Amino acid sequence: MNTLLYNKKWMRIIIAGLFSFLLPLSSFLLTSCSDWNDHYENLASQAGNDQTLWQTIQQHPELSDFSDVLSQTKVFKYHKVTDVSYASLLDGVQTFTVLAPVNGSFNKDSVLSLLSTSKGDSMVVRSFIGNHLSYDQVANVEKPTEFFLLNSKRATIGNNMALNVPLKESNIRAKGGILHILQNTLPYRNNLYEVLLNNPNYNKIGEQLSSYDEDEFSPTQSIEGGMVDGEQIYVDSVFIERNKFLESVGLLADEDSAYMMVVPTNNEWERVWNEAMSFYRYDKTVEDGSERQRAWANFALLSDAIFSRTIQSSPEDSLVTYFYDRRYPQYEVFHKPFQEGGIFYGTTAKDFSNGTLYTASRWPFTPEMTYNREIKTEGERTNLIVDYTQCSYTTRIHAADSVSENEYLVITPRSNTTNWTMNFKVENTLATSYDIYAIILPATVYNPNAQVKPCKFQAEINYVDENGNAKTFNCDNTKFTNDPTRVDTLLLAENFTFPVCNYYGDQLSMFESQTNMKITVKLKCNILARESNQFSREMFLDCIYLRPRKNQNTEQ
């Protein structure tokens, strides 16, 4: 199901007051899932009863309250109330399974009063009618059967029970489906998204998530009218509810899913969220900088906290996120999660309709475990070369543990006496401190018999300040010389702080792509003519490497 929850703050407040009479509800969709799996035989086709489901319901006086709600609730589709009631649906040709609660098991007047609100039909369908109807045809047999309700929640029926609610009567066949009579209402089972939206322990996270709810126009489902000034006009516009942020980190509103999610309570969330926000500060020239900051801070925290059960091979041993990459095994994988020191150790677990929520009193991650990561500008990624002078370059492959990504860059001077420059773009830096290195390989990586000489060079770091003004750090004018006999990691700048981030990841589709040219590291060969016999102007560059310093933005 692609349609996601559409849950506005004012609606939650109304529902919280009006629906306490029914069951422990917490949030409601404005549309129902329309993509259903029909795994069962159409048992109703075998019925001897010529009456429709609606007529059959009316034959049972103990269902008069439920009947009144059905007759007064209209189908809500694509943000619009239709003229069709649910009584009309059950009196038509579609097939349903109806699980009808008896009079006295719910407050009919309160339900009907909700229908008078602007979104009342949708809320009643989501929380009540949709929680008691199904497109699946299911009978009460000894072995329980799992099926989907109209509101997309999972349910079971069998052995004279439906979701642990006793059946007063069952398997009443009618033209158009099957009727089961319940002694009480079916419990409404929250999904993880609904819990985060409405449980006061987590609603700070919920507020962040629901802020990305949006209506997206669907031209393929809308009805076209004429053309005006060369533009298509629609006589009936259809909007689809989406949450692009959830689509990136996990469809927590999707009932046909199974997640494991670790969450902190509100106070702890505020602490780690403010901490993440400090890493994603943009300079003032960045379009939508504040929105980017907030979105990436949310992504930084939640992308490592949500796990799909379907992609775990051995969850007791390790858990991987959607973004796990074998090339970087230190990230997006968490070993022994339930043992001491693991991310779920000491948490409180509770099951919901589409997964398990593990509540942590203390956030089990550090920035260095998750989003404050090592950054490598691989020499062989020639697309990251901004500019160069007095040299040519080529890439070579060398499979060895000592060579990052098994490739490197060869920088060759134009002549034996010219000094070159090579300027590399550094992607996705955060507003924090790094130790910045150049990793240089020996000439023997290519030719075991090569004459080895060090290369002497200088370096500069180009960045921007809070106002977007270009700045340069010349690494104290240090002349660096590598050891030509080994893989040498040269520290260019220690504890260097970028005042703003330069982060433009591709995991979120919410923002337009931007150029990423604000952070560069320039290497400048610096060999005097008289030093040509001592040094080599050729360089075998593995990568520019940024190692993050332990978080200094906020105190732990």
Side-chain angles (χ1 to χ4, degrees), residues 275 363-372 550 556:
E275 180 180 50
W363 190 237
F365 310 101
T366 65
E368 291 71 35
M369 290 170 61
T370 52
Y371 56 87
N372 188 23
K550 187 174 181 180
Q556 294 289 329

Side-chain angles (χ1 to χ4, degrees), residues 80-109:
K80 299 175 183 178
V81 177
T82 69
D83 294 330
V84 179
S85 71
Y86 276 85
S88 298
L89 281 186
L90 297 178
D91 202 32
V93 296
Q94 294 189 56
T95 57
F96 296 89
T97 293
V98 179
L99 300 106
V102 296
N103 295 347
S105 61
F106 64 96
N107 190 320
K108 179 188 74 171
D109 294 336

Side-chain angles (χ1 to χ4, degrees), residues 36-37 134-136 147-150 152-154 255-256:
W36 302 91
N37 297 320
S134 173
Y135 283 123
D136 292 333
F147 62 102
F148 284 103
L149 295 167
L150 200 65
S152 77
K153 300 289 184 180
R154 292 178 182 269
E255 298 292 346
D256 194 16

Side-chain angles (χ1 to χ4, degrees), residues 458-531:
Q458 291 179 287
E460 66 180 33
I461 300 166
N462 302 290
Y463 63 102
V464 296
D465 63 14
E466 293 89 343
N467 295 315
N469 298 320
K471 299 290 183 179
T472 297
F473 176 62
N474 63 10
C475 298
D476 298 326
N477 285 318
T478 303
K479 294 180 174 61
F480 302 96
T481 302
N482 70 298
D483 184 341
T485 65
R486 64 183 177 89
V487 177
D488 200 2
T489 302
L490 296 174
L491 179 61
L492 306 181
E494 183 176 12
N495 198 21
F496 181 82
T497 301
F498 292 107
V500 289
C501 78
N502 188 44
Y503 194 86
Y504 299 102
D506 59 3
Q507 301 97 328
L508 292 176
S509 61
M510 301 156 53
F511 305 107
E512 293 183 4
S513 60
Q514 301 244 338
T515 58
N516 192 18
M517 297 285 290
K518 295 182 178 180
I519 309 295
T520 68
V521 173
K522 179 181 284 189
L523 305 182
K524 302 183 293 184
C525 183
N526 187 277
I527 300 172
L528 300 176
R530 66 174 182 269
E531 297 175 318

Side-chain angles (χ1 to χ4, degrees), residues 410-452:
V410 181
I411 304 172
T412 305
R414 289 278 173 84
S415 71
N416 292 333
T417 58
T418 56
N419 288 328
W420 49 263
T421 67
M422 183 71 72
N423 198 15
F424 296 94
K425 181 167 58 175
V426 179
E427 296 182 303
N428 294 329
T429 53
L430 301 181
T432 188
S433 301
Y434 298 88
D435 292 335
I436 303 176
Y437 300 87
I439 300 179
I440 301 173
L441 305 175
T444 52
V445 72
Y446 177 66
N447 179 7
N449 300 315
Q451 182 183 9
V452 293

Side-chain angles (χ1 to χ4, degrees), residues 372-387:
N372 188 23
R373 301 182 178 188
E374 299 175 351
I375 299 173
K376 288 183 179 180
T377 294
E378 297 289 344
E380 66 273 8
R381 287 188 61 190
T382 56
N383 63 306
L384 297 181
I385 297 175
V386 179
D387 55 65

